Amino acid sequence: MLKMANQSAGVAPQQVDAALRSFSLRAEANAQPRLFEADDALAQAPATRVDLVRLQGRSYTRYVNEFWTSRQRGGHSLHEISYRACFKAELPRFFLSVLLRQADGALVYDPFMGRGTTLLEAALAGARVAGNDANPLSEILLRPRLEPPEATEVARRLEMLRLDDTPPPADMDLSMFYAPGTLRQLLNLREYLRVRRSHQAEDAVDRWIRMVATNRLSGHSTGFFSVYTLPPNQAVSPERQREINTRRKQTPPERDVKGIILKKTRSLLRRLTAPERQRLQQAARTVLLMQDDAGNTPRLADDSVDLVITSPPFLNTVQYAQDNWLRCWFNHLDAASIARRITVTSSLEQWRDFIGQVMHELYRVVRPGGWVAFEVGEVRGGTLNLDEIVAPLGEAAGFVCAGIAVNSQQFTKTANCWGVENNTRGTNTNRIVLLWKEPA
Ligand SMILES: C[S@@+](CC[C@H](N)C(=O)[O-])C[C@H]1O[C@@H](n2cnc3c(N)ncnc32)[C@H](O)[C@@H]1O
């Protein structure tokens, strides 16, 4: 039986249950009710389906609905940085509103932050934030978006850079991706950023330029520095790129590196309001960013976190470091040593051990009355639901599992067809295990 949390301890499991069962109740329980009132799709959504699932001799409640609708470019423009296996901003946005009484002053943490979707969304809402990722690229991608410069400052800094001078020699052949003039500009920019960093002279504008350039290294349109390549930001190997060039009969075209950086800067900043900028700056002043193993984060204090919203590496073979080799090259990071620190396993046993350790660490850092929203997916063609592994692991670490929220987004709405159990095509499913640290 779940105990009722006292008011100061935050949102109680009963309130979360009510919020998930009913949109109107959820609107009351949440700190930003207008978020939901404004969204026609949610207002018209059918009631939540509630199932009882038996796992390891215990019943868990599963709530199925289209709790949020992920749309292309639906979140804040500042999120528009691609990263392998990132979740959409709507996911943390939903749980921030359901699991926090109020964002102001709360500490929100993501132990597997990736591009930092949770941290950015939480900071935009006024929360304090902390993040961790074994891949140092995460910090490069997130920190500058917590301290965004004005586009005019970026333009002025770019104007000062002499990117067409003779560059330092290239340490590898990148001619299959870049035209000679583009590579010259990139090598000069890379060297400028290296020197600024090594002289500890790097400022927020430099960090912003580094982040945008890192994001524009490879892709499929003229908005990227490279010749056409797919998928964006998961650089294929040089050999594979040569094959793509031969098949498409293409040679890398010259690109204007400064122009592309400025255009992407304006696009990222296009929805940023003055109050949001202030909230981000406030979060940047206290942010804690770590590059530890998620199962061992000693810099984060016991009982300090109000809400964790996260998604671990799934049980598969996504090679985050290898996908990012070009981004690592640009930032003088050693992709091979990063790869050794990133957990990649297709063994269910190993994955279970790893998540078990992470759960114990999360139990240590979450404060009594605090919450964890732990997102996992279906793997092995939908035959294995990782939420069913994660919920008992969370309980073994000391949490109370208040339920599993399944967001089933349908591309074509069909009455009474959720497509969750039978894995129907045309659905996009997130499974989020909700864990509560019961006050003593
Ligand atoms: C599914 S992604 C998270 C994406 C994130 N939710 C976002 O929106 O960008 C998982 C992340 O876990 C990181 N990771 C993998 N193993 C890790 C470990 N042992 N400790 C910390 N981070 C790890 C990867 O580098 C990757 O960024």
Side-chain angles (χ1 to χ4, degrees):
M1 196 51 193
L2 298 178
K3 284 188 201 152
M4 188 79 186
N6 69 35
Q7 288 296 308
S8 61
V11 180
Q14 288 83 349
Q15 292 168 303
V16 173
D17 175 71
L20 293 175
R21 281 172 193 266
S22 150
F23 283 110
S24 56
L25 278 178
R26 198 181 60 197
E28 269 171 40
N30 103 52
Q32 295 161 292
R34 295 188 58 77
L35 201 77
F36 298 102
E37 285 162 19
D39 194 321
D40 289 347
L42 284 176
Q44 288 160 20
T48 299
R49 200 184 79 198
V50 181
D51 299 331
L52 279 187
V53 193
R54 280 211 67 84
L55 297 173
Q56 299 183 6
R58 143 126 172 66
S59 288
Y60 293 85
T61 312
R62 194 165 63 191
Y63 307 86
V64 184
N65 205 338
E66 187 168 337
F67 292 113
W68 64 87
T69 306
S70 298
R71 296 188 189 86
Q72 205 58 23
R73 305 181 118 206
H76 197 287
S77 56
L78 267 180
H79 284 294
E80 290 168 10
I81 289 288
S82 59
Y83 190 84
R84 187 87 183 264
C86 63
F87 46 48
K88 290 272 179 20
E90 287 85 350
L91 188 156
R93 186 168 181 233
F94 178 80
F95 290 106
L96 282 164
S97 62
V98 171
L99 299 176
L100 276 185
R101 202 168 281 284
Q102 61 172 54
D104 266 359
L107 179 60
V108 177
Y109 171 54
D110 187 345
F112 301 103
M113 70 177 188
R115 67 173 180 168
T117 319
T118 292
L119 275 76
L120 187 56
E121 197 61 26
L124 283 167
R128 293 178 298 128
V129 292
N132 176 68
D133 199 294
N135 190 343
L137 274 174
S138 282
E139 179 165 350
I140 288 175
L141 295 178
L142 173 71
R143 190 184 285 278
R145 288 178 292 143
L146 294 178
E147 43 182 24
E150 299 285 350
T152 47
E153 292 177 276
V154 177
R156 267 201 305 277
R157 182 66 51 87
L158 288 170
E159 255 169 48
M160 285 167 38
L161 302 183
R162 294 178 15 196
L163 299 189
D164 291 318
D165 285 2
T166 304
D171 47 1
M172 65 184 298
D173 178 15
L174 292 170
S175 60
M176 65 299 291
F177 289 99
Y178 305 115
T182 310
L183 187 56
R184 169 188 291 256
Q185 297 168 65
L186 276 181
L187 288 169
N188 278 317
L189 180 59
R190 179 177 180 249
E191 179 64 4
Y192 163 78
L193 293 171
R194 187 191 68 76
V195 170
R196 293 281 284 183
R197 180 167 278 189
S198 66
H199 291 179
Q200 290 172 4
E202 188 187 62
D203 62 8
V205 182
D206 292 327
R207 283 193 287 275
W208 178 272
I209 291 172
R210 179 189 288 282
M211 179 273 293
V212 177
T214 298
N215 181 254
R216 298 285 93 187
L217 287 172
S218 65
H220 56 291
S221 75
T222 54
F224 293 91
F225 306 142
S226 74
V227 66
Y228 176 99
T229 182
L230 264 182
N233 289 309
Q234 292 166 37
V236 296
S237 67
E239 298 69 43
R240 176 85 188 97
Q241 187 58 39
R242 274 199 204 92
E243 284 165 25
I244 296 176
N245 293 352
T246 308
R247 185 166 42 78
R248 294 176 53 91
K249 300 187 178 62
Q250 63 182 20
T251 46
E254 290 294 352
R255 304 278 201 226
D256 170 12
V257 165
K258 290 182 182 179
I260 288 175
I261 293 175
L262 204 51
K263 190 166 174 212
K264 182 66 183 173
T265 296
R266 294 202 173 103
S267 170
L268 284 167
L269 297 176
R270 72 185 185 280
R271 290 194 195 152
L272 185 63
T273 63
E276 284 172 343
R277 191 183 275 281
Q278 266 181 5
R279 290 200 284 273
L280 292 179
Q281 279 163 354
Q282 207 175 346
R285 276 195 283 276
T286 58
V287 65
L288 171 64
L289 296 177
M290 304 169 289
Q291 295 171 10
D292 292 331
D293 185 279
N296 185 19
T297 51
R299 290 169 66 201
L300 203 52
D302 292 1
D303 298 338
S304 59
V305 172
D306 293 274
L307 173 60
V308 173
I309 306 174
T310 195
S311 172
F314 289 173
L315 181 71
N316 57 20
T317 49
V318 175
Q319 302 283 345
Y320 294 97
Q322 200 172 306
D323 290 344
N324 282 310
W325 70 268
L326 196 52
R327 290 171 160 201
C328 286
W329 166 81
F330 184 75
N331 290 290
H332 297 272
L333 296 171
D334 178 9
S337 77
I338 295 171
R340 284 193 288 277
R341 296 166 47 206
I342 286 179
T343 304
V344 177
T345 180
S346 52
S347 146
L348 185 54
E349 270 314 295
Q350 280 176 12
W351 193 81
R352 199 192 298 256
D353 286 351
F354 168 59
I355 298 299
Q357 277 168 28
V358 173
M359 283 298 174
H360 278 97
E361 185 66 349
L362 292 182
Y363 192 77
R364 179 185 72 77
V365 301
V366 169
R367 70 162 178 77
W371 284 90
V372 176
F374 203 92
E375 193 258 344
V376 283
E378 296 155 349
V379 293
R380 298 186 178 157
T383 56
L384 179 62
N385 292 332
L386 293 179
D387 49 321
E388 298 179 3
I389 310 277
V390 165
L393 287 174
E395 295 218 305
F399 289 109
V400 172
C401 178
I404 300 167
V406 176
N407 190 58
S408 179
Q409 178 169 343
Q410 298 173 44
F411 299 128
T412 8
K413 290 219 175 201
T414 321
N416 303 322
C417 170
W418 290 104
V420 172
E421 257 120 38
N422 58 9
N423 217 32
T424 312
R425 276 173 194 281
T427 60
N428 177 12
T429 306
N430 297 102
R431 293 164 175 270
I432 300 96
V433 179
L434 300 175
L435 301 165
W436 186 56
K437 182 165 170 178
E438 206 169 1

